[in-house]
Amino acid sequence: MLDLAPLARFGDRVATGLLDVTSDPAALDSRGFWAVAADFEGGLTCARFAAVRQEPVPAPVPGAWHGPGVGDWTSSLDRAAYTAAVRRIRERIATGEVYQANLCRVLSAPLTPGADVDALTALLARGNPAPYAGTIRLPGHGVEIATASPELFLRRAGRVVESGPIKGTGRTEDDLLPKDYAENVMIVDLVRNDLGRVCATGSVTVPDLCAVEKHPGLVHLVSTVRGELREGAGWAELLGAAFPPGSVTGAPKSSALRIIDELETAPRGPYCGGIGWVDADRGTGELAVGIRTFWIDRGEGVLRFGTGAGITWGSDPEGEWRETELKAARLLAVASGTYEVSGGTLT
């Protein structure tokens, strides 16, 4: 077994001293501080830690991370397969089976056996800072994740819950198309319905719709959906209603999931799942959508990364492929150790 102590980082919050691990979401309403990793396919790992301290992400240590070269990555769907799948989704939209579906591909590259995901975290914090960055390192439980997610899946403060779906991506605001705005509105409606299943009647609102947010190398359209949990509903019910995140599935969600299962050739794992923390003692928590996310597969000896795009009737297959490339390019450069920031190389 790799000799790396269990650890979780979320912003400047660091958790150590693993106490227990469970797949029961009801534990998140018990006691203690939990790191949470939910796979897109439904697997859930909740890890309770004994100690939590404030500490900034450490600076990269030269030589601590030996990442794959930018050219070492292979894709579960190549360009031809991806664009063909986009065309098939458009055919499904034409027949009314679905309005939008998120199509993803998983990239894989060989990794040095002793690689530490926390060393990658140090690079990501400087090469691609993100509002919901997080790391969960549990080698003994098959969970080693570093995310630079820009997207809020679920935030909870007592009974108040909030989601921040992202739909619409461009290099600049001028690149955003009518298709991007329509896509965002569709997913906001889906998230409203998801939260409405566990929130008090009339409490679900949309404080922000299609706000433009700037992130490293690109812009997104982001909306906010908020509600108040009904009496008796907790994390188990909330995750049951909202998972997997609507922004990375499609609408209607059930139809989109069937199409995803048919067209994608690799499991998404933590990519497009939920990654974050829950403080059960305070009744608070924050889970990101697991996009812009790396994870280590020790069994295969590889590092994985996912990228995708939302497909609508207005989608251009080549344009959607380029969007997946745009979302991946900066992160893969950071992971290779060749992305330059402030005039220096992150190695």
Side-chain angles (χ1 to χ4, degrees):
M1 181 63 65
L2 195 64
D3 186 23
L4 293 172
L7 170 147
R9 290 187 188 274
F10 302 102
D12 61 357
R13 183 187 282 110
V14 183
T16 56
L18 183 65
L19 294 174
D20 49 44
V21 176
T22 180
S23 60
D24 182 3
L28 302 177
D29 283 305
S30 61
R31 297 181 59 192
F33 182 88
W34 298 83
V36 181
D39 284 354
F40 182 80
E41 289 75 26
L44 179 66
T45 302
C46 304
R48 179 160 49 186
F49 286 88
V52 182
R53 66 183 185 275
Q54 300 295 115
E55 175 186 288
V57 178
V61 175
W65 172 257
H66 299 283
V70 173
D72 293 341
W73 296 86
T74 59
S75 176
S76 59
L77 293 171
D78 63 15
R79 185 172 187 162
Y82 190 88
T83 54
V86 172
R87 289 190 287 271
R88 291 188 64 180
I89 292 173
R90 291 185 74 253
E91 292 170 0
R92 302 295 186 87
I93 294 171
T95 63
E97 182 181 346
V98 71
Y99 302 114
Q100 189 252 50
N102 210 65
L103 181 65
C104 299
R105 54 195 182 95
V106 174
L107 309 179
S108 303
L111 189 65
T112 303
D116 177 6
V117 74
D118 197 41
L120 174 57
T121 299
L123 296 180
L124 291 172
R126 285 147 183 86
N128 200 98
Y132 305 106
T135 302
I136 303 177
R137 187 177 71 190
L138 302 168
H141 298 273
V143 177
E144 295 176 86
I145 300 168
T147 183
S149 177
E151 182 172 3
L152 174 66
F153 174 34
L154 293 169
R155 177 185 292 125
R156 182 178 170 189
R159 310 306 300 168
V160 177
V161 295
E162 190 171 282
S163 185
I166 287 176
K167 272 296 159 206
T169 300
R171 291 186 184 275
T172 69
E173 186 173 353
D174 292 339
D175 292 334
L176 296 170
L177 304 172
K179 168 254 183 190
D180 294 306
Y181 289 86
E183 191 179 352
N184 191 291
V185 171
M186 276 191 281
I187 296 306
V188 165
D189 192 50
L190 185 154
V191 174
R192 286 177 63 249
N193 290 336
D194 282 354
L195 293 187
R197 294 169 57 194
V198 288
C199 286
T201 302
S203 72
V204 179
T205 61
V206 183
D208 293 298
L209 183 65
C210 294
V212 177
E213 281 190 3
K214 294 183 179 180
H215 294 273
L218 44 73
V219 299
H220 288 306
L221 289 177
V222 185
S223 296
T224 302
V225 184
R226 185 178 299 148
E228 184 175 339
L229 285 175
R230 67 169 184 261
E231 199 65 34
W235 278 106
E237 291 76 17
L238 181 56
L239 288 170
F243 198 84
S247 63
V248 289
T249 52
K253 186 182 281 188
S254 57
S255 299
L257 285 170
R258 285 196 299 272
I259 291 170
I260 288 168
D261 186 60
E262 176 187 325
L263 296 180
E264 294 186 12
T265 58
R268 296 186 184 181
Y271 171 60
C272 293
I275 303 166
W277 59 270
V278 170
D279 188 332
D281 296 327
R282 292 175 172 80
T284 59
E286 192 172 83
L287 304 183
V289 178
I291 58 174
R292 317 292 197 274
T293 296
F294 293 92
W295 69 103
I296 293 175
D297 183 336
R298 292 286 173 190
E300 297 293 329
V302 298
L303 182 67
R304 300 198 194 278
F305 179 85
T307 185
I311 313 304
T312 67
W313 175 249
S315 290
D316 166 61
E318 290 293 334
E320 300 298 351
W321 170 264
R322 288 193 296 272
E323 180 174 322
T324 69
E325 293 277 271
L326 171 63
K327 290 173 177 175
R330 184 187 185 104
L331 278 298
L332 298 189
V334 172
S336 74
T338 61
Y339 185 80
E340 292 189 354
V341 60
S342 301
T345 301
L346 288 171
T347 53

